[in-house]
Amino acid sequence: MSIENLSKILKESNNIVFFGGAGISTESGIPDFRSETGLYKTDSGQRYPPEIVLSHTFFMKHTKDFFKFYKEKMIYTGAKPNSAHLALAKLEGMGKLKAVVTQNIDGLHQTAGNKNVYELHGSVHRNYCTKCHAFYDLNLILESNDIPKCPKCGGTVKPDVVLYEEGLDNDVINGAVNAIEYADTLIIGGTSLVVYPAAGLINYFKGKTLILINKSSTPYDSKADLVIHDSIGKVLSAAIKFTS
Ligand code: ZN
């Protein structure tokens, strides 16, 4: 039984790192925008794919339309941590899980209680003034009419989320690489491992056990010590029952 194998690994390891993709958030009802093929229609009637709307160029040129899309499609204030988030928080509390590396921007790992989280693509909960660099929470974005403005200086407030054409934060990348490099167990969940930088990052893993949990198969299945094709929430919550 693969669940039993997984709980045995969790029991024996004290240096686990979890790497998660969009599949973690979809189980909390947050859609994976990369899998949405719909086109976004701006106020001026033009149609764009989400990859264009969520680009740095679009943010600079069509700021109002950017925020309209962003508020409608990228923010889910009602979303709650699911059983995957809760199991990972429990593993960190037990001292077994050393870090979560995530491609998600919803902050649900922190809501569940995880402390050491590397958010590769940033977070909707952090927003900063592009002029004076003051930081604001999500409320400032939600309460703005069209373009969120800094109450201190009037500058445009930008979400601390990595847009297309923008680079990842060096400190976040280094922290994630370091955690993966020194882990003895790496669990990869809810990602097909085709989106940058996921595939590159897991090449740093030198530990003992590589585990892949994803509903569909991935290009790395043959390299893993344990592969489970099922819901990440279902698998982790079942495995953790036998771990404590
Ligand atoms: Zn400002």
Side-chain angles (χ1 to χ4, degrees):
M1 264 295 286
S2 36
I3 298 283
E4 280 162 25
N5 291 344
L6 177 59
S7 39
K8 190 167 173 276
I9 295 164
L10 297 180
K11 211 173 222 173
E12 285 166 2
S13 176
N14 287 309
N15 189 0
I16 305 166
V17 167
F18 180 80
F19 184 103
I24 308 291
S25 294
T26 51
E27 292 186 19
S28 282
I30 298 172
D32 177 10
F33 75 87
R34 285 176 212 273
S35 65
E36 283 181 25
T37 47
L39 293 181
Y40 171 69
K41 196 175 163 214
T42 66
D43 286 340
S44 53
Q46 283 178 285
R47 286 168 178 274
Y48 297 98
E51 290 81 4
I52 296 296
V53 182
L54 294 170
S55 70
H56 185 79
T57 305
F58 195 91
F59 173 84
M60 299 302 283
K61 274 193 184 166
H62 311 280
T63 314
K64 200 176 151 185
D65 278 322
F66 170 88
F67 276 108
K68 194 168 169 246
F69 178 89
Y70 181 80
K71 281 197 247 181
E72 273 171 23
K73 306 276 188 188
M74 305 297 285
I75 298 172
Y76 297 87
T77 48
K80 293 195 169 53
N82 59 58
S83 45
H85 297 105
L86 297 174
L88 291 166
K90 208 170 165 191
L91 280 174
E92 191 187 85
M94 293 162 74
K96 289 183 163 295
L97 182 76
K98 299 304 179 196
V100 170
V101 180
T102 181
Q103 296 176 280
N104 301 322
I105 57 172
D106 47 52
L108 287 178
H109 286 294
Q110 289 92 330
T111 309
N114 274 104
K115 301 273 183 284
N116 199 24
V117 183
Y118 296 101
E119 296 171 305
L120 297 173
H121 294 157
S123 172
V124 298
H125 297 285
R126 285 190 309 271
N127 304 278
Y128 64 94
C129 171
T130 51
K131 252 190 193 166
C132 76
H133 298 282
F135 270 83
Y136 296 99
D137 64 15
L138 184 54
N139 285 330
L140 186 102
I141 306 291
L142 294 174
E143 287 161 6
S144 64
N145 283 326
D146 39 37
I147 299 174
K149 294 290 180 188
C150 175
K152 288 177 193 162
C153 79
T156 298
V157 174
K158 184 177 182 290
D160 195 5
V161 161
V162 180
L163 301 178
Y164 288 94
E165 306 164 349
E166 292 179 342
L168 304 183
D169 184 276
N170 271 331
D171 290 341
V172 176
I173 278 285
N174 290 339
V177 164
N178 199 55
I180 291 169
E181 214 174 351
Y182 292 102
D184 60 31
T185 301
L186 178 63
I187 308 172
I188 301 170
T191 170
S192 49
L193 285 170
V194 287
V195 181
Y196 170 86
L201 269 179
I202 67 164
N203 288 332
Y204 287 96
F205 180 63
K206 301 182 291 201
K208 217 172 96 192
T209 317
L210 178 64
I211 303 164
L212 286 181
I213 308 166
N214 197 47
K215 281 182 181 162
S216 55
S217 57
T218 81
Y220 281 80
D221 281 10
S222 59
K223 291 183 184 170
D225 300 288
L226 178 63
V227 178
I228 305 176
H229 288 153
D230 206 341
S231 140
I232 181 81
K234 204 171 112 189
V235 171
L236 285 182
S237 57
I240 201 174
K241 270 184 202 156
F242 306 103
T243 306
S244 43

